[in-house]
Amino acid sequence: MAVPGDPPDGTPEGIGGGDEEFRSDEYRSVVFDEDFVRAARLQEFSAQERMGEHARAVRSRSIWSGSGPSGPRTGTPGRGARQGMVLVLLIAVAFAAAVYMGLSNPAPPPTIGRTEQLASTIVPLAPTTAVPGGRPADLYENSPAADYRVGAAGISLPGARRTHHFTEGQVVTALSIAKDYLVQSSLDPDVLAGAATRPVRVLLDPDQLDQFDRSMASPSGDGRHAATGWLVRFDPGRAVVADTRVRVSGTLAIDEVSADVLEVITDHTFVYAVRPATGSPAAAEGASLFTVRRELKLRFDREDLVARRAELVTAYVMAGPQDCSDEPAGGFRPVLAGAGPTTVGPAASDPYASGTPRRAAGLCGVLAPPTPAGTAPADPAPVSPAP
């Protein structure tokens, strides 16, 4: 007798009983009637439904746990995660160090006006005897300037050697700029006549140009704005240069004052043959000598050396013969040939004497009588204030 679940024709041949018959008996109690089968529906879930309601299509990787081809490795950082952690820590340490250094070592405030203003002292020297006159060549021949060189040849450069922070070439550049400044400010005919200032102006640091321009436009004896502190020029209403072959003698010295600054000290005596501004230029006996002793301090930083310019820091100038009542800030006003002494003082100053000039306590000194060439000059006496 066939039972439900058996094949219609019975058990096929070749298939024995045993375990198979036992298994058939195991499921005999499970019977699905036709109505149950018809009511059943087959439903295929989508991939998202099979993954669950909150599952994401892409698995995120935590920086604290790595994942590989075989799945997440909980608790073990991956290589990329470890590099990211190290980078974050380095940035945090660097930021903390920067904050600490900024708080413990605050930056100093920026320096304003790094270039100093010129401080100048102009000392007119009054004659003690009548001013001799004559032809320029004769006057030079009988003066201490007889052996002086003419013009720029009298401004010789010393031997240049490198310093601790500057090369030999930079030292030579500083010395040559200083010489250019002396030539333009002491020997240029247009500058001496008061007709030009540009040859001097172009050699100055830009930070000093305002002071220079004010000194030219409104000269003053306040120690900051004397035109004769920057250059040599004569009052065109009083005197003009009678011979362009100016006699010059002096020295230059250089020193490194810091790792970024060179300093050049110039000490030169310039002797000019001048004549009255009025009258014939051909007047043979109308000339006289006028002597200017200039001691300048010029500084050069590295920018100045490249741009070929200078910072004029100090100027100490003695010039005569001049009347102490004449203001020398705007231009020198020589006492000309034949004029007598205007000031008598207890001591005299010799602008031809070598060595560092004595500083004057007042604004006027006494000009020592000139010593002819070949005669030993008297010991330089201090410049005395005018009585």
Side-chain angles (χ1 to χ4, degrees), residues 103-252:
L103 294 176
S104 60
N105 298 291
T111 303
I112 300 176
R114 61 174 182 81
T115 302
E116 296 183 25
Q117 284 195 327
L118 168 65
S120 59
T121 302
I122 315 298
V123 182
L125 303 178
T128 57
T129 61
V131 177
R135 298 176 182 273
D138 296 335
L139 294 172
Y140 283 131
E141 185 67 26
N142 295 289
S143 76
D147 296 330
Y148 287 8
R149 293 184 177 183
V150 176
I155 307 173
S156 56
L157 301 182
R161 298 176 59 184
R162 64 168 295 126
T163 65
H164 188 63
H165 296 97
F166 290 87
T167 66
E168 180 179 336
Q170 290 173 319
V171 171
V172 171
T173 299
L175 290 170
S176 63
I177 297 172
K179 178 174 180 176
D180 289 345
Y181 187 88
L182 288 172
V183 170
Q184 299 301 327
S185 65
S186 308
L187 300 175
D188 185 285
D190 292 334
V191 172
L192 296 177
T197 60
R198 189 176 184 278
V200 180
R201 190 179 191 274
V202 296
L203 292 174
L204 290 172
D205 187 281
D207 291 340
Q208 290 189 312
L209 294 183
D210 288 343
Q211 184 188 9
F212 177 83
D213 292 340
R214 179 179 171 184
S215 301
M216 299 301 111
S218 302
S220 171
D222 61 358
R224 295 290 183 181
H225 301 94
T228 47
W230 299 94
L231 47 80
V232 176
R233 74 178 181 185
F234 296 98
D235 183 345
R238 171 67 67 89
V240 295
V241 176
D243 187 354
T244 57
R245 295 170 296 178
V246 180
R247 302 306 196 267
V248 184
S249 180
T251 61
L252 293 93

Side-chain angles (χ1 to χ4, degrees), residues 32-67:
F32 298 97
D33 59 15
E34 185 177 356
D35 292 335
F36 178 83
V37 173
R38 289 177 181 177
R41 290 188 306 167
L42 298 178
Q43 181 177 357
E44 180 71 19
F45 290 100
S46 66
Q48 183 173 359
E49 290 173 327
R50 288 197 300 270
M51 292 176 65
E53 181 180 358
H54 300 289
R56 291 184 295 179
V58 179
R59 181 174 64 249
S60 62
R61 296 180 62 181
S62 170
I63 65 170
W64 303 108
S65 61
S67 63

Side-chain angles (χ1 to χ4, degrees), residues 255-350:
D255 184 33
E256 180 184 300
V257 297
S258 74
D260 296 310
V261 177
L262 286 174
E263 188 173 89
V264 176
I265 302 294
T266 74
D267 185 5
H268 289 79
T269 298
F270 300 86
V271 185
Y272 306 88
V274 297
R275 62 174 180 81
T278 58
S280 172
E285 303 296 332
S288 61
L289 296 184
F290 188 83
T291 305
V292 179
R293 174 84 175 268
R294 302 183 77 195
E295 182 182 316
L296 309 180
K297 180 184 294 185
L298 300 104
R299 286 181 183 166
F300 306 86
D301 59 26
R302 298 183 187 276
E303 293 181 4
D304 293 329
L305 295 176
V306 173
R308 293 196 63 84
R309 66 196 185 198
E311 303 171 16
L312 183 58
V313 180
T314 62
Y316 187 84
V317 181
M318 298 188 299
Q322 286 189 102
D323 192 324
C324 289
S325 62
D326 289 336
E327 174 60 59
F332 296 122
R333 298 172 60 85
V335 175
L336 299 171
T342 59
T343 302
V344 178
S349 179
D350 183 3

